[in-house]
Amino acid sequence: MNIEILAPEIHQANVDAGWWSDLNTGARIERNVGELLMLAVTEIREAREGFAFGHQDDHLPDRSMFEVELADAAIRLLDMVGGLGLTQKVSAYATEFENMTRFKAVETILFDIVDALATAMEHHRKGRTDEMASNLARALVIIEQLSVYCDFDLMEVISEKRAYNANRADHKPENRIKAGGKRV
């Protein structure tokens, strides 16, 4: 995964789609880092559910829920990295991690991702940007290594999901602003 290319690209697509803007005014907003991290955690939880029960994905029915939710987590993290201006730091830290998935069960590896995200939050809370970036890199590396471990092409799934999301009615600002619309 090339973080230096993907993070700015995914972030800009999300800016263009209005995810980093006030839905009423269009003004740029500062996103809540804790919320962004928790949204990534929810994708990992959904990946675990897909893995445990062998579900196919609702949106990409030719893909497993496990694959798509891992891709969703990576997309959310890459957007966050781009939005917080951490692309170079996270990319540099990503080279430091060896095989993080070796000899572990999939559910343990999923917990390792959550652990990296929780640790990133703790460092963010204490104003330690470098340590936060290192843990975001660790989460992204583990996601990528898990895709190799489970024999699927993460980049292909990310590409398919981004294409799908670009055309979703519930992702359009005019529908998100409605009562009950998707906010984050």
Side-chain angles (χ1 to χ4, degrees):
M1 166 180 338
N2 188 327
I3 294 167
E4 288 191 31
I5 292 173
L6 281 173
E9 181 181 296
I10 288 172
H11 176 65
Q12 188 58 56
N14 286 342
V15 167
D16 294 345
W19 293 105
W20 289 76
S21 302
D22 181 290
L23 287 172
N24 296 307
T25 67
R28 172 114 178 163
I29 58 171
E30 198 168 312
R31 301 285 303 270
N32 179 303
V33 172
E35 179 179 58
L36 293 171
L37 288 166
M38 196 63 205
L39 288 167
V41 168
T42 65
E43 304 294 1
I44 299 303
R45 191 216 56 83
E46 290 172 332
R48 186 218 154 279
E49 178 184 339
F51 179 79
F53 298 106
H55 296 314
Q56 289 301 108
D57 188 68
D58 293 338
H59 304 295
L60 301 178
D62 292 339
R63 293 282 182 185
S64 73
M65 181 180 176
F66 174 70
E67 294 171 337
V68 175
E69 297 303 337
L70 280 179
D72 281 343
I75 291 166
R76 285 194 181 277
L77 291 171
L78 289 162
D79 176 40
M80 182 177 134
V81 165
L84 297 178
L86 297 174
T87 301
Q88 272 67 42
K89 283 185 184 204
V90 170
S91 181
Y93 281 119
T95 63
E96 295 181 8
F97 296 101
E98 298 290 327
N99 189 340
M100 307 286 290
T101 59
R102 206 158 137 190
F103 308 120
K104 292 184 180 180
V106 169
E107 290 181 335
T108 301
I109 298 167
L110 291 170
F111 181 79
D112 288 345
I113 299 166
V114 172
D115 177 68
L117 298 176
T119 305
M121 181 60 205
E122 183 65 9
H123 289 302
H124 168 70
R125 190 177 70 76
K126 293 180 178 178
R128 299 189 298 236
T129 305
D130 286 346
E131 292 87 347
M132 177 186 168
S134 174
N135 280 282
L136 293 173
R138 182 166 62 109
L140 285 164
V141 167
I142 296 170
I143 291 169
E144 183 175 38
Q145 291 174 354
L146 182 54
S147 73
V148 172
Y149 184 74
C150 293
D151 197 30
F152 71 91
D153 186 338
L154 178 65
M155 296 311 304
E156 189 175 293
V157 183
I158 287 173
S159 178
E160 290 173 19
K161 188 60 189 277
R162 288 181 65 207
Y164 175 82
N165 285 346
N167 295 306
R168 287 177 69 165
D170 66 336
H171 280 208
K172 304 290 182 205
E174 62 271 16
N175 294 323
R176 291 178 38 231
I177 201 166
K178 294 176 183 175
K182 191 175 254 202
R183 300 284 179 207
V184 291

